[in-house]
Amino acid sequence: MIDWYLKNRQLLRSLRTKAVDALRHYENDEEQAAKTIASYMQTDFKLLREHWHSMYPEEKFGYLGRHIGFGERNDFNDIIKHDLPPIEESLDELLLQFEKSLPNSKTQPYVAEERIAELAEIEKGAFDTAKLIRLLRELNVAYNNDAHFTTGILVRAVIDHVPPIFGFTTFPEVANNYKGTKSFKSAMQRLNDSLRNLADSYLHVQIRKVESLPTLNQVDFRAELDALLSEVSRVLQDV
């Protein structure tokens, strides 16, 4: 499954890069160069369909194939803004479903290694992901050692670290104002409302006569965090 996911991720990244290049050629009045790139994208799309359908043949890919076939300026805009994001989201959702189907053991990290690798591969631009990646790796260490307080606090640190990538100052602004998909906004609301309150209690509630310690279930925001990191990766690759 992981190899299948990574291959699809590579093909989608290639399609996005080529679409950006083709659009740039159109803006420079180099229509023929853009058409040539569109022909390469047709090959990538064929490979994507074949590889994806080897496990999930029901995927239709929306209007991606049609827009590649037309290959006009507005088609490349649609590919970048409207066609690829829901396919990428669907791919990540399939990976999450696969992870949830596995036995509940520490063989699965809190943050998938392929997600961390994906972020690490992004070239440094307006934002440096070094601290983010270190937080994610420390989060996996905490999770692997049943450090539930630390797990919750580190997830809080991550969500407070990334808002500038989305053009905001605080995570509540991201959760309430970022124009993502409906499922993304729902996941961000859970992180903002539930996770932030939990982490605040871990950090600020003073000693009491009787304590109730957190369990893994209480700090399990793996799906929501992965949705956030997926969007972070997508936005950084567009910058």
Side-chain angles (χ1 to χ4, degrees):
M1 175 66 179
I2 300 303
D3 290 340
W4 177 87
Y5 171 88
L6 291 175
K7 178 64 175 178
N8 283 314
R9 175 62 65 182
Q10 177 187 3
L11 290 166
L12 289 168
R13 188 177 298 120
S14 178
L15 283 168
R16 179 178 292 279
T17 299
K18 288 183 175 71
V20 171
D21 288 342
L23 189 58
R24 187 178 299 116
H25 282 299
Y26 262 115
E27 292 170 349
N28 293 330
D29 295 323
E30 298 168 346
E31 182 176 348
Q32 187 54 50
K35 294 289 188 182
T36 300
I37 293 175
S39 69
Y40 298 149
M41 292 177 68
Q42 289 178 344
T43 300
D44 285 347
F45 181 56
K46 181 175 182 293
L47 292 173
L48 176 68
R49 283 186 305 177
E50 291 174 350
H51 187 67
W52 194 300
H53 288 166
S54 68
M55 288 191 68
Y56 297 94
E58 66 277 6
E59 178 63 49
K60 302 300 183 184
F61 301 104
Y63 293 104
L64 177 59
R66 177 182 296 182
H67 288 145
I68 293 173
F70 289 145
E72 301 294 336
R73 181 197 298 259
N74 60 306
D75 293 305
F76 292 114
N77 265 317
D78 285 337
I79 289 169
I80 295 166
K81 295 180 179 179
H82 304 297
D83 295 336
L84 290 177
I87 297 172
E88 293 165 338
E89 183 177 348
S90 177
L91 179 63
D92 290 337
E93 181 61 31
L94 288 171
L95 180 63
L96 287 175
Q97 291 175 8
F98 170 74
E99 290 178 343
K100 290 177 180 178
S101 72
L102 297 174
N104 186 20
S105 69
K106 295 300 176 62
T107 59
Q108 299 300 313
Y110 198 95
V111 181
E113 287 297 327
E114 59 266 29
R115 181 69 69 206
I116 296 176
E118 179 183 308
L119 291 165
E121 289 173 2
I122 298 173
E123 294 183 4
K124 186 185 298 185
F127 300 100
D128 186 344
T129 60
K131 180 179 177 180
L132 173 61
I133 291 168
R134 182 56 182 252
L135 286 170
L136 297 177
R137 295 204 178 281
E138 292 191 10
L139 176 55
N140 279 345
V141 172
Y143 168 69
N144 192 54
N145 287 277
D146 294 324
H148 302 319
F149 280 119
T150 306
T151 297
I153 292 168
L154 283 171
V155 177
R156 167 70 184 271
V158 170
I159 69 173
D160 284 344
H161 184 59
V162 300
I165 294 173
F166 301 105
F168 296 103
T169 303
T170 66
F171 192 75
E173 292 175 312
V174 176
N176 294 322
N177 301 314
Y178 183 68
K179 298 186 182 302
T181 63
K182 183 177 180 180
S183 61
F184 178 80
K185 291 179 72 68
S186 177
M188 296 310 100
Q189 288 292 344
R190 289 194 293 274
L191 281 175
N192 186 54
D193 296 338
S194 300
L195 182 277
R196 284 175 62 84
N197 288 335
L198 280 173
D200 280 347
S201 71
Y202 299 164
L203 287 166
H204 303 305
V205 172
Q206 294 182 321
I207 193 168
R208 297 174 292 187
K209 184 176 181 179
V210 177
E211 290 289 353
S212 177
L213 300 179
T215 64
L216 172 60
N217 288 338
Q218 190 177 86
V219 297
D220 189 1
F221 293 89
R222 287 175 289 182
E224 293 83 358
L225 180 61
D226 190 71
L228 173 62
L229 296 175
S230 174
E231 189 69 0
V232 165
S233 175
R234 189 187 70 81
V235 171
L236 288 178
Q237 291 181 64
D238 278 347
V239 172

